[in-house]
Amino acid sequence: MNIAHTIFGVFGNATALFLFLAPSITFKRIIKNKSTEQFSGIPYPMTLLNCLLSAWYGLPFVSKDNTLVSTINGTGAFIETIYVFIFLIYAPKKEKVKIFGIFSCVLAVFGTVALVSLFALHGNARKLFCGLAATVFSIIMYASPLSIMRLVIKTKSVEFMPFFLSLFVFLCGTSWFVYGLIGRDPFVAIPNGFGCALGTLQLILYFIYCGNKGEKSGDAEKDEKMVEMKDEEKKQNVVNGKQDLQV
């Protein structure tokens, strides 16, 4: 059981690392276009909070035998911080204010949890408090892409829900869910079981709509109609010109 626990922990580290790096494709596009377009910035500060709380929960003075939880979530916190700063640079002013507000709340929540658990709680009470905090915000993190899933259903397009991000949400959630079950740690198993289910739903949506081009926006439709009208006008002018020459 200890070997299986370690194996799923290592696999969880690998899939989680890919999950953290998957949005790099999206951010490459954001940097290239110097715009966040319709990409949601909410998942990144929420993932950062989850990483911070999970890394704290995995420390030896909070819970035993969870070093693998701390290592990958510490790495994830660093990566997600970079994503948040890039998003803040290229986001529209309104979106920038919203993401910065969420980022500030993330730091405040983590600071509060860390200080309370460090100075006010000890032993099992500390583990329970940190575990509950990590579980609640892990579920919120996994739920944050729901707005993108709604956009996918509305537009019938998966343009703004990258496949690899959905895939690694599923793989990461599944591996840590099994890790939590083997280690009999509900604070690891419960939120990642939720992540496994949500990742499954994202993959289902992707395979339903991946072949669609999506619905065009009103502005795009207007532009297309204007082009068509101009083409028709040009054709009519050519026809009239030919008729004039014949006469």
Side-chain angles (χ1 to χ4, degrees), residues 63-171:
S63 65
K64 295 180 180 180
D65 301 323
N66 277 326
T67 304
L68 289 172
V69 174
S70 284
T71 53
I72 188 57
N73 281 287
T75 304
F78 175 74
I79 294 171
E80 296 300 325
T81 301
I82 295 174
Y83 291 155
V84 170
F85 281 121
I86 293 174
F87 204 92
L88 287 172
I89 292 171
Y90 294 106
K93 187 175 180 180
K94 185 178 180 181
E95 186 73 8
K96 191 176 295 186
V97 171
K98 182 175 73 173
I99 298 304
F100 183 77
I102 296 174
F103 179 64
S104 300
C105 290
V106 163
L107 296 181
V109 169
F110 173 68
T112 301
V113 171
L115 289 174
V116 169
S117 63
L118 196 59
F119 296 107
L121 301 171
H122 303 280
N124 195 55
R126 176 185 290 170
K127 179 181 179 180
L128 181 63
F129 176 71
C130 294
L132 285 173
T135 298
V136 169
F137 288 103
S138 290
I139 291 174
I140 293 174
M141 178 207 72
Y142 279 123
S144 59
L146 287 174
S147 59
I148 294 298
M149 293 171 68
R150 183 176 61 183
L151 181 64
V152 169
I153 295 171
K154 182 180 179 181
T155 62
K156 296 180 174 61
S157 170
V158 294
E159 181 181 4
F160 297 103
M161 189 179 73
F163 170 74
F164 285 107
L165 188 59
S166 301
L167 175 62
F168 286 109
V169 166
F170 169 74
L171 292 176

Side-chain angles (χ1 to χ4, degrees), residues 7-85:
I7 290 173
F8 275 99
V10 171
F11 185 69
N13 270 252
T15 55
L17 182 60
F18 278 111
L19 175 61
F20 295 140
L21 294 175
S24 60
I25 300 172
T26 298
F27 280 91
K28 183 179 179 181
R29 171 174 169 172
I30 289 173
I31 294 171
K32 181 180 179 181
N33 296 334
K34 296 181 179 180
S35 171
T36 56
E37 303 178 48
Q38 293 187 54
F39 290 109
S40 174
I42 297 175
Y44 307 108
M46 297 310 300
T47 303
L48 172 61
L49 179 57
N50 170 65
C51 288
L52 291 171
L53 291 173
S54 296
W56 186 260
Y57 173 74
L59 293 174
F61 61 83
V62 177
S63 65
K64 295 180 180 180
D65 301 323
N66 277 326
T67 304
L68 289 172
V69 174
S70 284
T71 53
I72 188 57
N73 281 287
T75 304
F78 175 74
I79 294 171
E80 296 300 325
T81 301
I82 295 174
Y83 291 155
V84 170
F85 281 121

